[in-house]
Amino acid sequence: MRNKYFVWFMAAIAATGGLLFGFDSGVISGAIPFMQSDFSLSDSEIENVTTLGLLGAVLGAAFSGIISDKIGRKRVMLAAAIIFFTGAFGCGSASNLTNLMFARFCLGIAIGIASFSTPLYIAEISPAHIRGTLVSMFQLLITVGILAAFVSDSLISDNSNPACWRTMFYVGTVPAIILLVGLAFLPESPRWLISKGREKDARAILEKIEDPDVLESEIQRTQLAIKEEGEQMSFTQTFRKKWMIYPLMIATLIMFFQQAVGINTVIYYGPAIFLKAGFEGAEAAVMASVSIGVVNVLFTILSLFIIDKLGRRKLFFIGMSGMLVTLVLIGCSFLYGMGPYAVVGSMLLYIAFFAVSMGPLGWLIISEVFPTKVRGVGSSIGSLANWGFNALVVWTFFKMINAFTIFTGSDNAGTAYTFFVFAALTVIGMIWGKYFLPETKGVSLEQIEGHWKNGGKPNEL
Ligand code: BGC
C-alpha cells in the first residue's frame, strides 16, 4: 500500500461518524433522569423525546442513499457533521419540551445519515485486503461511542445541579467539530468519482491509497462493479419476485427480533430503570450504566473473533437462550424486590449475550442474505426495519410498565412483567430462528441466490 497512514487517517476521521452515531444515541440515557426532573416530564414525554430521535434516524437513513449518490459521500458526511453539531447544541440549549423534541429529531437525522454513509465511505476508500476489517470495526465504534456517552454522562451528572443534562448534550458538539474539521482533509470517494465519470480525479486519490501495481486493476474492477450495480433491481421489481419473499422476511424479522429483545430500553433507559430498581439518586444510576457500556464493547470485540468460527445459527441460539434466561432474571429481580444490584448484575449478563450475538448478527445477516442485484435495496430495507422497530419498542416501554402496574397494582410487578414480555418475544424469536434463520457462513452470494430461486427453504441452506 502506498500510504498506509493516509488510509488509516481517512478511515479514522470517517469513523468519527460511527462514534457520533453511538455517542448521540447513548447520551440521552444519562440525561433522562435530570431532564425529567428539570422540565417535570412524564414518562410518556420522555418516550416521545427518545422516539423522535429514532424517527429522525429513519428519515436520515431512508434518504441518504439517494442524496449521497447525487452529491457525493463527502458532502453528505459534511451535512451530517453540521446537523450533529446543531442538534447537540440545540438539545443542550432547549428552553422547553418542544424545542428539545425538535433538536433531538435533528440529531436523529444526523445519526441516520451517519449509519448509512460512514460504512459506505470507509468501504469505498479502503484497499481490498483491509476492507473487511475496517468495515466490521463500525459496529465496534458504535458501542465505543455509546460507552463514551455513558462515561461522559457519568462524569457530568451532579445531583445538586438539575441542569447538568445540558452539558451532557453540549459534549456531543466536540466530536462533531472534529468530524467537520477532519472532513476538510478527506478526499471524495474515488468510487463515487468514477461512477460520475471523473476518472482523472479518482486516479489522483487512488494513487495515494493503492500500490502502483494494482492501481489499474483496481480502477477496472471498480468500473465493472459500478456497471453491475447499474443493473440492480429497483424497489418495486424487488417486491414482485416471488422468491424474494424469504430474504425480505429474514432481513425484516432478524431486525425485529434484534429490537424486540428490548436492547434499547437498556441502552437508552438504563439509569431510569436503575432508579426504579431502588438506586439512590440519578448520579449513582448513571454511573452504573457505565458498566453496561464497558461489557457491550468487550463482548462486541469477542464476537468479531468468533462470528466466522461458530457460524450464525449457533451464535444466534447461544445469544437468544442467554438473553431469555437473563431477561427472566431481570424480571424476577424486580418482582421479588431483590434490589438494584441484582438488576444491574442480570443486565450486565444480558448485554454480554446481546453484544456477542444479535448486535453484530443483525447487521451481518442483512448484508449476506440478498443476492447481489438486490443487495442495495435489501440492506436499506433491513436498516429501516432496525430503526423502525427500535422506535416502536422505545416508544412503548414505559406505556407497557404503566399498563402492567395498573393491572397488577404494583410498580415492581409492572416493570417485571414488561421484561417477561421481552422474554416471551425472545422465545418466539428462537422458534422463528429454528425454521427460518439460514446458515450463511462460508456460502457465496451466488449459492444463496440460486438457493432462493430454486425454491429452497432458509434452514436448508
Ligand atoms: C443495534 C442498536 C443497539 C446497539 C447496541 C446495534 O446492533 O442495532 O439498536 O443500540 O447494537 O450496541
Side-chain angles (χ1 to χ4, degrees):
M1 203 190 312
R2 258 270 180 87
N3 193 341
K4 195 165 78 183
Y5 298 109
F6 184 59
V7 172
W8 282 101
F9 167 76
M10 289 195 301
I13 294 290
T16 314
L19 278 180
L20 270 165
F21 168 5
F23 186 94
D24 282 306
S25 347
V27 70
I28 194 145
S29 99
I32 284 173
F34 295 100
M35 253 161 35
Q36 194 154 21
S37 64
D38 201 21
F39 276 166
S40 319
L41 302 181
S42 68
D43 281 347
S44 78
E45 282 167 329
I46 285 295
E47 274 173 347
N48 292 344
V49 176
T50 316
T51 309
L52 262 177
L54 298 169
L55 293 181
V58 172
L59 202 73
F63 288 103
S64 51
I66 304 166
I67 300 175
S68 72
D69 276 347
K70 281 235 160 64
I71 66 168
R73 318 319 193 199
K74 201 179 150 179
R75 290 205 193 106
V76 166
M77 293 204 299
L78 253 166
I82 294 170
I83 307 175
F84 266 127
F85 180 87
T86 323
F89 191 81
C91 282
S93 57
S95 53
N96 55 41
L97 180 63
T98 317
N99 291 354
L100 187 64
M101 294 209 297
F102 181 70
R104 192 69 197 156
F105 183 70
C106 291
L107 257 186
I109 293 179
I111 293 175
I113 300 176
S115 77
F116 182 91
S117 59
T118 310
L120 183 70
Y121 180 80
I122 298 181
E124 290 185 348
I125 52 147
S126 34
H129 68 285
I130 51 166
R131 185 170 302 148
T133 318
L134 287 180
V135 176
S136 63
M137 295 296 267
F138 187 65
Q139 167 76 14
L140 184 60
L141 278 168
I142 300 170
T143 60
V144 173
I146 293 175
L147 172 63
F150 288 178
V151 171
S152 148
D153 281 1
S154 129
L155 292 176
I156 293 166
S157 71
D158 176 359
N159 285 343
S160 62
N161 174 16
C164 65
W165 61 271
R166 294 183 182 280
T167 320
M168 296 179 186
F169 282 112
Y170 285 141
V171 174
T173 58
V174 178
I177 293 173
I178 296 177
L179 180 60
L180 204 61
V181 175
L183 274 170
F185 298 96
L186 291 195
E188 180 49 270
S189 145
R191 193 182 192 288
W192 179 78
L193 289 169
I194 292 176
S195 79
K196 294 286 161 193
R198 291 166 57 186
E199 205 187 300
K200 215 172 120 215
D201 296 334
R203 193 178 289 269
I205 297 161
L206 281 170
E207 274 168 4
K208 291 189 199 156
I209 304 174
E210 297 285 359
D211 279 329
D213 44 334
V214 297
L215 185 69
E216 287 312 316
S217 62
E218 193 56 25
I219 292 180
Q220 276 168 14
R221 215 183 46 75
T222 309
Q223 280 167 334
L224 194 73
I226 290 168
K227 194 169 154 268
E228 273 171 11
E229 252 170 46
E231 293 155 10
Q232 288 253 330
M233 279 193 235
S234 73
F235 205 76
T236 39
Q237 278 171 328
T238 305
F239 278 103
R240 264 194 232 127
K241 294 265 181 275
K242 214 173 145 211
W243 52 268
M244 276 301 297
I245 185 115
Y246 279 132
L248 280 173
M249 181 267 272
I250 293 163
T252 312
L253 287 186
I254 189 82
M255 284 312 190
F256 172 75
F257 288 113
Q258 192 205 52
Q259 296 301 322
V261 297
I263 177 63
N264 285 314
T265 62
V266 176
I267 298 285
Y268 305 151
Y269 298 144
I273 299 173
F274 296 153
L275 283 176
K276 282 189 192 295
F279 261 98
E280 294 284 325
E283 227 178 292
V286 175
M287 211 148 83
S289 69
V290 173
S291 54
I292 299 273
V294 171
V295 171
N296 194 18
V297 172
L298 292 181
F299 280 80
T300 304
I301 296 176
L302 178 65
S303 85
L304 293 182
F305 289 103
I306 61 175
I307 208 158
D308 276 323
K309 294 210 177 76
L310 280 184
R312 325 305 185 225
R313 281 180 68 91
K314 213 179 240 173
L315 204 55
F316 174 86
F317 288 111
I318 294 174
M320 292 293 267
S321 328
M323 281 190 277
L324 171 61
V325 174
T326 47
L327 280 166
V328 172
L329 271 178
I330 299 172
C332 289
S333 313
F334 273 103
L335 197 60
Y336 300 112
M338 288 152 77
Y341 292 102
V343 172
V344 175
S346 31
M347 260 185 198
L348 287 176
L349 286 171
Y350 163 82
I351 271 288
F353 280 110
F354 175 87
V356 83
S357 64
M358 283 302 261
L361 261 184
W363 298 102
L364 186 64
I365 293 284
I366 65 164
S367 76
E368 290 181 326
V369 86
F370 290 103
T372 321
K373 281 199 176 140
V374 285
R375 226 163 155 206
V377 179
S379 49
S380 46
I381 290 174
S383 46
L384 282 184
N386 179 277
W387 288 115
F389 293 130
N390 183 349
L392 189 69
V393 174
V394 164
W395 189 62
T396 48
F397 180 64
F398 290 113
K399 290 183 183 61
M400 255 199 295
I401 294 185
N402 290 339
F404 281 127
T405 301
I406 294 169
F407 182 70
T408 57
S410 138
D411 264 353
N412 273 345
T415 312
Y417 282 34
T418 305
F419 281 99
F420 292 153
V421 169
F422 294 141
L425 287 167
T426 309
V427 175
I428 299 173
M430 287 166 81
I431 299 171
W432 170 80
K434 182 169 182 317
Y435 296 104
F436 293 109
L437 186 72
E439 182 52 85
T440 47
K441 175 191 151 193
V443 191
S444 74
L445 293 179
E446 289 71 28
Q447 282 171 304
I448 299 178
E449 179 167 356
H451 183 75
W452 301 140
K453 283 184 175 162
N454 293 332
K457 297 225 159 57
N459 61 352
E460 288 164 1
L461 197 70

